[in-house]
Amino acid sequence: MVDLSGVDHKSIVERAKAIILTPKDEWPRIATETTSQGDILKGYVLPLAAIGPVAAFIGGQVFGYGALGFSYRPSLVFSLSSALISFALAIVGVFVLTFIADFLAPKFQGESNRAQAFKLVAYGSTASWLAGVFGLIPSLGFFGLLGLYSIYLIYIGATPLMKVPAEKAGGYTAVTIVCAIVLALIVAPITAAVTGLLTAGPMMAAGSTDSGEVSGTVTVPGIGSIDLDNAQESTKRMEDVANGKVPPIDIAKIQAL
């Protein structure tokens, strides 16, 4: 568990509000601060990065996911594992993107400064993290696009923090964001794969041997709810019969009945 007992929640709100509403004034102040990466991580990154995974976990369990009349409610184990992995990879992503932002700065006539790059990524990601709150109601998930405001925040912060000339800040931001997108595309399948591995144990304990199975309930209009665990178990039994692993029912016994 992460200890957030010493986090100043008031300062988080004030900093998030300032970076969102007045980034041009806030970035110069951030550039002069001497707060360590550890303090920023504990006092700002961890609480905000947890918003999306926690909201998605609650939204998936309470409302489920649906479209065109169909709905899907993931199992508790699957949702919890997915939330924990997403949170962990989000933190790892901050450090990876910090390395990228620091590496690219000199390429655009800026200065390499790991501490400043960490602040650029940590505070610049504020909008995307706050937008994760819409995961509480999956049907409002499209409002998560508001998180793209983080692109503008990084663009504004590139000059005061990384000393990238204003005329090159756009290119620096664009390349950094492209790297972030590539990172997200890499992280997505990793999240799915690790979630499958973590949920494989509980599934096997329940009688399932396929670690790639999806657990939960699907609601089909006009039919009702389908328990995916039971459906997969029935499918597996039919496969065992077809493969000769389980003897089929004796037709004579059925006729006698």
Side-chain angles (χ1 to χ4, degrees):
M1 295 293 291
V2 178
D3 180 16
L4 298 179
S5 58
V7 174
D8 186 347
H9 300 285
K10 182 178 179 180
S11 66
I12 294 177
V13 174
E14 293 176 349
R15 172 50 55 85
K17 180 179 177 181
I19 197 66
I20 292 293
L21 299 180
T22 58
K24 292 183 178 180
D25 296 329
E26 192 65 14
W27 278 125
R29 282 194 287 267
I30 292 175
T32 61
E33 294 176 354
T34 57
T35 309
S36 68
Q37 293 186 26
D39 289 338
I40 296 175
L41 177 66
K42 178 180 178 181
Y44 195 84
V45 174
L46 293 181
L48 293 190
I51 291 176
V54 171
F57 170 76
I58 296 174
Q61 290 299 301
V62 175
F63 299 101
Y65 304 94
L68 302 176
F70 293 86
S71 64
Y72 168 65
R73 191 185 305 278
S75 69
L76 178 63
V77 174
F78 182 87
S79 296
L80 182 59
S81 298
S82 180
L84 291 175
I85 295 168
S86 297
F87 175 66
L89 291 180
I91 302 305
V92 172
V94 169
F95 287 96
V96 173
L97 198 56
T98 293
F99 171 80
I100 293 173
D102 183 49
F103 173 78
L104 290 175
K107 312 298 181 183
F108 291 85
Q109 298 181 4
E111 297 179 1
S112 175
N113 188 314
R114 188 64 58 85
Q116 296 290 64
F118 184 82
K119 289 192 286 186
L120 178 66
V121 174
Y123 294 122
S125 301
T126 299
S128 62
W129 287 332
L130 292 179
V133 73
F134 292 108
L136 282 172
I137 304 178
S139 60
L140 299 181
F142 62 91
F143 281 113
L145 292 174
L146 294 174
L148 294 176
Y149 184 65
S150 281
I151 297 177
Y152 175 74
L153 295 181
I154 293 176
Y155 166 72
I156 296 298
T159 298
L161 269 73
M162 306 308 297
K163 307 304 179 184
V164 175
E167 63 274 11
K168 294 183 178 293
Y172 171 75
T173 302
V175 176
T176 302
I177 296 303
V178 168
C179 291
I181 294 174
V182 173
L183 178 63
L185 294 176
I186 295 174
V187 166
I190 293 177
T191 302
V194 176
T195 300
L197 290 175
L198 290 181
T199 55
M203 285 182 177
M204 293 177 68
S208 172
T209 58
D210 184 358
S211 63
E213 292 175 349
V214 177
S215 179
T217 303
V218 173
T219 301
V220 182
I223 297 179
S225 298
I226 300 175
D227 189 322
L228 294 182
D229 294 327
N230 291 336
Q232 290 169 350
E233 183 177 353
S234 298
T235 301
K236 184 177 184 301
R237 288 177 179 174
M238 288 187 290
E239 291 178 350
D240 290 341
V241 172
N243 295 329
K245 296 181 180 179
V246 177
I249 299 176
D250 189 346
I251 300 299
K253 293 181 178 180
I254 297 179
Q255 291 175 342
L257 290 173

